[in-house]
Amino acid sequence: MSVVTRFAPSPTGNVHVGSQRTALYNYIFARQQKGKFILRVEDTDQNRYIEGAVENLLSSLEQLGIEFDAGPGKEDDKGPYFQSERNEIYNREVQRLMDQGHAYRCFCTSERLDELRKEQMEKQTPTGYDGKCRSISSEESDERAKTEKFVIRLKIPKEGLCEFKDIVRRDVKIAWSQVDDQILVKSDGYPTYHLANVVDDHYMEVTHVIRGEEWLPSVPKHLFLYECFGWEAPQMAHLPLLLNADRSKLSKRQGDVAVEDYLKKGYTPDALNNFLALLGWNPGGKNEIYTMDELIEAFDINKITKAGAVFDVQKLNWMNGQYIKNMDVEKYLKEARKWLGDLKVNEDKLDIALMAVKTSLSTFQDVPVKLAVFTGEPSAPEAEAKEMLELESTKLVFKAYAEKVAKLDDLKVDDFKVIMKEVQIETGVKGKNLWMPVRIGLTGEIHGPELGYIVEYLGKEENIKRIMSYKL
Ligand code: GLU
C-alpha cells in the first residue's frame, strides 16, 4: 500500500514553528516512501478562523519548499482540501453512526453542562459529560430534534483500557473511563475536529498520521470511530513537544514562534528546514547540516524521540550562518541586496562589500550592521587596538604594506594575500602581529569582515591613506 501523509492545520493564526515541523516530517516521510503528501485545511470551527491564516499557511509552505500532492484518486485536484466544503460527507457518516446506535443526540443546555462541571470540580471527580442523554429513545430524540437544539455525541465505551501502538510512544494505554462522550457535531451543524479528521483521513486514504503530541489523548476517540465505521485506522506517530531553553513549552513570550517571523528576520528556508527537522529526530553522527534530499534519505520514522526538543535559537543562528557561508555566490548577492535598508553603499563596490561579510552573518538581517564598516569613516581604535598600533613591528608592517600597495595599479582580493606574504618575508613579522595591525589600520576594529574584500573595496589610494594616517 502506498504511503499517504497529510498536514492538517486549522487556520487559526500564522504557522507556528511546531506546526511547520509537523508538516516537514509528513513531507519528508512521504517523499522517502515515494508516497503522497496532502494538505488539508481543518476549518470547521468558524469561531476560531483568523483572516489571512490560509494565505499565511500557503506562503510559509511555499517559501520553505514544501510541496503538496493530489490525494489518491484526485489526480487533477491538488487541493488544499477544505473541510468546510465537505459537510455533506460528515453529515452522511454521522447519520450512519446514529443509525447503528454509536452516536446520540444530546439536548443538554450549556447551563446544565456548566452546573455539572461545577459540581464535579467541587467533588473533585473527573470532569466530563455524565451521559444523561445516552438513553433517550430514538423516537423521543427525533421528536425533540424538531424543536430543541442539540449536539451529537459519540457513545464511548466506559470500561476497560484502550490499548494502541504509536510509532513514537510505542505501547500506549488509556482508560476508557477517562474518555468523554465526544461531541461529533456541534449545535451549529458543523462537525468537530474529531469527526471530520477521522472521516477525512479515511476517505483521503491516509496511511500515517504524524502530528503533535497534544493529540495523543484523542487517539482512543479516533480509534473507536474507526471501529464503529468499520475502517482500518492509520498508523500514528505523535511528535515530541518543542520547548524553550528553560524546558517550558515553546511560547511567544520567550521569542518568535511563527515561521514568518524567522523568514522576515533573514533566516534561510534551507536552514529552517534543516533545523526543524532535527528537533525530535537525529540521524546520529556529528554532521548537522543536511539538504532536503539528505534529510529524505536519512530520516527514520522509528527513531523519532519521545523527549521534548529544545528550540535553541543560538543553534539556529549558527546553522543559518553556515548556510549563508556556503551559499552559491550569485544567489547570496541577490538575496543580500534585499536587506540593505537605508544603507548607502557605493553601488560599484557593493558586491565586494557583501562578499566581505558573507562568512560573518548569522542572518540576512545582519547585513546592514556588518556593512557599516564600509560606509563610514574607520572607527577610532579602542585600547587593545591602540596597543597593537604602538608595537615596533607595526611600524615596519605599515611601511612595507604602503610601499607594496603603491606599486600596484589596482588592488584586488587576490593581490592582498600576495602582498601580505611579501610583507611577512620582508619584515619577519608573522601571525597576529602582522594581520591585526593591518585590519586596525584600515578599519579601526580588531574584528570584522574578511580583510581581502575590505582592501579591494577601499581601493589603492584609500588603503595607503588610512595606513599612513597613523603617524608612527
Ligand atoms: N487540525 C489539527 C491541528 O490544528 C490537526 C491535528 C491532526 O493532525 O490530526 O493541529
Side-chain angles (χ1 to χ4, degrees):
M1 189 171 48
S2 146
V3 162
V4 180
T5 65
R6 64 5 175 228
F7 177 42
S10 300
T12 54
N14 289 347
V15 181
H16 187 282
V17 284
S19 264
Q20 185 67 34
R21 184 205 42 186
T22 299
L24 192 59
Y25 278 30
N26 279 288
Y27 172 79
I28 289 176
F29 184 63
R31 289 287 170 273
Q32 180 186 65
Q33 301 295 315
K34 309 263 177 292
K36 290 181 190 299
F37 166 68
I38 61 178
L39 176 61
R40 184 172 75 224
V41 180
E42 302 211 321
D43 58 349
T44 56
D45 194 346
Q46 303 291 314
N47 298 328
R48 293 182 62 219
Y49 180 80
I50 300 272
E51 198 61 39
V54 174
E55 289 72 14
N56 180 268
L57 165 68
L58 295 175
S59 138
S60 298
L61 290 179
E62 194 191 334
Q63 290 186 75
L64 267 59
I66 310 293
E67 288 173 10
F68 44 92
D69 307 312
K74 296 222 171 215
E75 268 53 45
D76 297 329
D77 174 15
K78 235 166 64 151
Y81 310 118
F82 288 88
Q83 287 191 327
S84 56
E85 292 167 6
R86 298 168 57 80
N87 228 7
E88 233 175 88
I89 306 174
Y90 311 130
N91 283 336
R92 186 186 74 211
E93 293 302 333
V94 85
Q95 189 57 50
R96 209 146 72 77
L97 291 177
M98 301 252 288
D99 294 346
Q100 290 164 353
H102 293 308
Y104 63 95
R105 290 194 192 94
C106 168
F107 298 94
C108 292
T109 59
S110 50
E111 291 76 36
R112 170 167 195 274
L113 295 176
D114 288 347
E115 196 55 37
L116 176 67
R117 199 180 155 76
K118 223 169 90 193
E119 266 172 39
Q120 288 167 334
M121 282 171 65
E122 272 166 18
K123 283 194 210 143
Q124 296 187 340
T125 53
T127 53
Y129 185 58
D130 60 357
K132 180 167 186 273
C133 296
R134 268 185 165 222
S135 50
I136 295 177
S137 71
S138 55
E139 293 75 26
E140 184 188 337
S141 173
D142 289 348
E143 206 42 47
R144 286 175 68 176
K146 291 178 189 155
T147 53
E148 285 178 53
K149 272 191 149 198
F150 61 88
V151 297
I152 300 177
R153 288 184 186 270
L154 182 62
K155 216 179 241 178
I156 290 281
K158 286 293 157 207
E159 267 155 32
L161 282 178
C162 174
E163 298 184 46
F164 58 93
K165 283 205 184 305
D166 182 82
I167 296 172
V168 180
R169 305 249 132 206
R170 311 290 164 193
D171 294 308
V172 186
K173 294 190 180 94
I174 298 179
W176 283 114
S177 59
Q178 287 176 18
V179 184
D180 212 2
D181 274 6
Q182 178 61 48
I183 297 179
L184 300 176
V185 179
K186 293 171 288 178
S187 56
D188 62 7
Y190 276 99
T192 55
Y193 153 75
H194 303 278
L195 174 67
N197 188 273
V198 163
V199 169
D200 282 348
D201 280 346
H202 171 71
Y203 283 112
M204 295 180 183
E205 299 180 33
V206 170
T207 57
H208 293 76
V209 166
I210 305 171
R211 64 183 167 197
E213 188 179 275
E214 65 275 24
W215 297 107
L216 192 70
S218 298
V219 174
K221 295 169 195 174
H222 297 184
L223 291 180
F224 185 60
L225 277 171
Y226 281 106
E227 197 186 308
C228 297
F229 283 128
W231 298 333
E232 194 187 330
Q235 290 193 58
M236 302 201 183
H238 286 85
L239 307 176
L241 283 179
L242 296 191
L243 308 175
N244 294 307
D246 64 3
R247 304 198 72 81
S248 57
K249 195 173 161 200
L250 188 67
S251 73
K252 226 180 182 158
R253 255 172 287 128
Q254 298 200 24
D256 287 321
V257 290
V259 173
E260 188 186 74
D261 297 332
Y262 287 93
L263 291 171
K264 272 195 190 145
K265 282 189 180 170
Y267 288 88
T268 70
D270 292 344
L272 277 173
N273 280 331
N274 189 157
F275 176 74
L276 289 174
L278 302 188
L279 295 179
W281 161 77
N282 201 304
K286 282 214 171 87
N287 182 25
E288 300 205 80
I289 304 292
Y290 291 87
T291 62
M292 186 59 91
D293 285 344
E294 288 165 348
L295 289 171
I296 292 171
E297 163 109 30
F299 186 67
D300 186 346
I301 197 172
N302 294 309
K303 295 221 172 108
I304 297 174
T305 51
K306 274 196 237 156
V310 174
F311 190 95
D312 179 351
V313 180
Q314 305 288 345
K315 181 152 175 203
L316 173 59
N317 287 343
W318 167 80
M319 197 174 267
N320 202 57
Q322 297 296 307
Y323 272 87
I324 297 180
K325 195 165 143 187
N326 297 322
M327 195 177 270
D328 165 76
V329 170
E330 215 171 297
K331 185 174 168 197
Y332 163 74
L333 291 174
K334 194 167 161 218
E335 183 61 30
R337 277 174 174 262
K338 297 182 198 155
W339 295 84
L340 295 172
D342 298 333
L343 204 72
K344 301 272 170 293
V345 191
N346 179 351
E347 176 64 33
D348 297 343
K349 295 203 163 171
L350 178 56
D351 285 355
I352 301 164
L354 289 173
M355 285 308 291
V357 300
K358 188 170 186 267
T359 53
S360 60
L361 299 171
S362 291
T363 72
F364 279 106
Q365 205 179 31
D366 296 344
V367 166
V369 183
K370 297 276 182 190
L371 282 196
V373 55
F374 295 101
T375 55
E377 290 296 308
S379 1
E382 307 247 333
E384 192 186 340
K386 272 198 189 135
E387 263 172 48
M388 297 279 336
L389 288 174
E390 279 157 18
L391 293 177
E392 257 331 286
S393 58
T394 299
K395 273 187 206 166
L396 299 174
V397 169
F398 277 15
K399 187 163 164 286
Y401 180 79
E403 275 169 17
K404 300 210 177 301
V405 172
K407 281 194 197 133
L408 296 173
D409 296 334
D410 198 7
L411 190 54
K412 294 274 178 226
V413 177
D414 295 338
D415 303 324
F416 177 65
K417 278 207 179 102
V418 179
I419 293 179
M420 290 301 278
K421 188 75 202 161
E422 288 172 5
V423 173
Q424 182 199 320
I425 293 167
E426 192 178 306
T427 60
V429 182
K430 291 192 267 196
K432 188 178 164 195
N433 286 1
L434 171 67
W435 293 90
M436 189 88 95
V438 175
R439 175 180 287 286
I440 300 165
L442 294 172
T443 67
E445 309 267 354
I446 293 176
H447 303 289
E450 277 189 53
L451 208 45
Y453 290 105
I454 297 183
V455 162
E456 179 172 339
Y457 181 89
L458 294 174
K460 180 178 160 178
E461 305 306 329
E462 186 67 16
N463 263 267
I464 298 175
K465 194 177 124 201
R466 290 196 180 186
I467 287 288
M468 297 304 280
S469 72
Y470 293 97
K471 312 246 172 320
L472 304 167

